[in-house]
Amino acid sequence: MAPGWLFNRNDDKMKNYFCTLMMGLSCAVAQSTAVVEAAPGTTEVSADADLPSVPASLQGRQYITKAKPNTEAKVYFIYQSRYMCPTCVAEAPAIVAAYKKMKGKGAELVMLNVDADDETAAKWARKAKMRFPIVSPTDRSGIPFPHTGSSKLPCMVALDAHGNKLGEASGAEVAEFLSSNWKQYVKDIKKAEAAQKKSKQKD
């Protein structure tokens, strides 16, 4: 079910933009009919101007871990996963290892847990030693960009703070995607910000 704040806008574009998650035993995620496609030759998709920023969307959410998202991060990896998914469980150790390296260095990882309940999600988080922010299964629908362009779990999308898509991965590729790209994404964004600042100073 789509969150109320989308429908209160009375905006058909916003209604179509939201991607509803479906939890199946096959670890499948139903696709929205309005998934934003990247232009040929690039994975970048411009964020909808009507959507809140990534940090704003993550604030006020219910988390099953003590960790809260870094609202000053340059890049956010939104990660959908669940305990009742063999590939998700297999990828977890590498995800945890990657997070230890990127924590506090301009990149943030936030999991949208899609298990059936908070108890299952919290138990898995403790067992796998997940120390990153994990949004409660009962509260993830409040985030307006849960889709990753993939139809299977686990799946991950990298976004800048404004919601622009930088890249995505799914299945057994998510851990490698995270570990191989977070540093470069942060570097690229900082470089772009510096160039923009320099350009404004000249003006």
Side-chain angles (χ1 to χ4, degrees):
M1 182 176 181
W5 65 269
L6 284 176
F7 288 97
N8 290 336
R9 290 176 180 269
N10 194 28
D11 187 336
D12 289 336
K13 181 180 179 182
M14 292 298 295
K15 294 177 184 177
N16 292 331
Y17 188 86
F18 182 79
C19 176
T20 304
L21 291 175
M22 298 293 290
M23 297 184 293
L25 293 178
S26 62
C27 296
V29 179
Q31 293 294 292
S32 167
T33 57
V35 172
V36 182
E37 296 291 340
T42 178
T43 57
E44 183 174 348
V45 176
S46 296
D48 192 312
D50 293 329
L51 288 175
S53 67
V54 177
S57 296
L58 295 174
Q59 289 182 334
R61 302 269 69 85
Q62 180 182 344
Y63 293 88
I64 64 171
T65 51
K66 293 181 179 180
K68 298 297 183 292
N70 174 13
T71 58
E72 301 297 324
K74 300 298 182 182
V75 58
Y76 292 84
F77 289 85
I78 307 301
Y79 172 46
Q80 295 182 74
S81 190
R82 63 182 300 196
Y83 181 62
M84 299 301 292
C85 167
T87 303
C88 299
V89 174
E91 288 288 284
I95 292 289
V96 170
Y99 180 70
K100 290 179 179 178
K101 295 180 179 179
M102 62 186 271
K103 183 180 180 181
K105 297 179 180 179
E108 181 62 281
L109 170 67
V110 179
M111 178 194 285
L112 305 184
N113 185 285
V114 294
D115 278 307
D117 53 67
D118 286 6
E119 183 179 355
T120 300
K123 183 178 180 179
W124 182 35
R126 291 192 298 270
K127 182 178 180 179
K129 298 182 180 179
M130 298 175 183
R131 302 288 186 263
F132 44 82
I134 300 178
V135 178
S136 164
T138 60
D139 197 33
R140 69 182 187 281
S141 62
I143 299 177
F145 40 77
H147 61 280
T148 66
S150 172
S151 61
K152 61 181 180 180
L153 293 177
C155 44
M156 180 182 290
V157 60
L159 306 165
D160 67 14
H162 303 291
N164 295 303
K165 186 187 293 185
L166 306 175
E168 60 185 8
S170 62
E173 300 177 353
V174 292
E176 179 63 25
F177 171 70
L178 177 63
S179 61
S180 298
N181 291 291
W182 72 265
K183 191 176 294 184
Q184 188 62 51
Y185 285 154
V186 171
K187 181 180 179 180
D188 290 345
I189 292 175
K190 286 184 176 180
K191 184 177 180 179
E193 290 177 342
Q196 185 178 36
K197 183 177 181 180
K198 185 175 182 179
S199 177
K200 288 183 178 180
Q201 289 176 341
K202 289 182 177 180
D203 295 339

